[in-house]
Amino acid sequence: MNLSYEDNIAVLDLGDGENRFSPDFLDEIDRVLDDVLAAGAAGRAHGLVTTATGKFYTNGLDLDWLMANGDRTDWYVGRVHALLARVLTLPIPTAAAVVGHAFGAGAMLAIAHDFRVMRADRGFFCFPEVDIRIPFTPGMTALIQAKLTPQAQVASMTTGRRFGGVDAAAFGIVDATAGEGAVTPAALELLRPLAGKDSGTLGAIKTGMFGPAVAALGG
């Protein structure tokens, strides 16, 4: 995981692996978000773009860890919920640069951002829960319902469909698509006009907009 800045916009590279939500991953991303908010308070961060280096944006839940730590499932799901709620209400503009596959909770992390840009020619956005027999938690359902149209909810949540970038844009799951090497720059362009928004006001607006989803996520 690596944090850099471009024109006062924080760029968080989640890594070059599957970027699954291990407890260590969750700890690290929380620390990075703390740093970004501190930079925002000091006037050095006017937005956040999350991206990745390899073939995955993120593959979501660390199922191997869960299988080995079944007695900690509730704790783990609570940690994932907390991350989703935090990103959903982050008091700076956010954009996910979905440069590769985004599956399950990884796709939910992208959904929690204000905007999403996806590579047009490679990678899938997918909620596979119906096929792997893991129902959505109420919090995850509320998050997706807060962001997607009813048509997109049915198309993505009940089918396990793998959306390429063009299909995802047609359903409004992502806001734009871009070619290889252009996804993160496109996400940055979405945020540049939003520099200077008051963080207290923006945070209050997001909390009001997404209050039911935050409550369902345990926030």
Side-chain angles (χ1 to χ4, degrees):
M1 200 174 293
N2 179 66
L3 179 65
S4 60
Y5 287 87
E6 184 166 335
D7 298 332
N8 288 331
I9 297 174
V11 180
L12 173 56
D13 187 328
L14 298 174
D16 61 1
E18 292 192 19
N19 305 326
R20 288 188 180 269
F21 295 175
S22 68
D24 287 345
F25 179 98
L26 295 170
D27 286 343
E28 187 171 2
I29 197 169
D30 267 336
R31 285 195 296 269
V32 171
L33 292 178
D34 287 342
D35 290 345
V36 170
L37 292 182
R44 299 194 307 272
H46 301 308
L48 170 68
V49 170
T50 61
T51 185
T53 302
K55 64 184 289 187
F56 295 93
Y57 172 71
T58 163
N59 236 356
L61 300 183
D62 189 338
L63 298 179
D64 290 338
W65 187 91
L66 266 176
M67 289 180 64
N69 297 273
D71 59 325
R72 302 184 69 191
T73 297
D74 289 345
W75 171 86
Y76 176 78
V77 172
R79 287 291 311 278
V80 173
H81 280 183
L83 172 63
L84 297 175
R86 187 177 193 190
V87 173
L88 184 63
T89 58
L90 210 66
I92 55 174
T94 60
V98 185
V99 295
H101 301 312
F103 273 71
M108 294 172 209
L109 178 63
I111 285 288
H113 290 65
D114 299 332
F115 306 101
R116 286 154 297 286
V117 180
M118 187 172 173
R119 184 165 163 177
D121 60 334
R122 184 178 179 183
F124 293 112
F125 181 105
C126 178
F127 295 131
E129 281 76 4
V130 70
D131 291 324
I132 61 177
R133 301 183 180 183
I134 300 178
F136 296 92
T137 66
M140 292 172 175
T141 297
L143 167 65
I144 298 167
Q145 289 178 329
K147 286 303 190 87
L148 300 186
T149 66
Q151 181 188 27
Q153 291 168 39
V154 172
S156 60
M157 296 175 73
T158 69
T159 67
R161 176 175 172 177
R162 298 185 176 195
F163 291 84
V166 174
D167 285 343
F171 275 87
I173 295 170
V174 300
D175 300 280
T177 60
E180 182 179 4
V183 179
T184 300
L188 285 162
E189 286 302 316
L190 284 176
L191 297 192
R192 285 194 175 99
L194 304 177
K197 302 298 182 187
D198 178 74
S199 61
T201 303
L202 182 58
I205 288 171
K206 289 186 183 182
T207 299
M209 288 174 66
F210 304 122
V214 172
L217 288 165

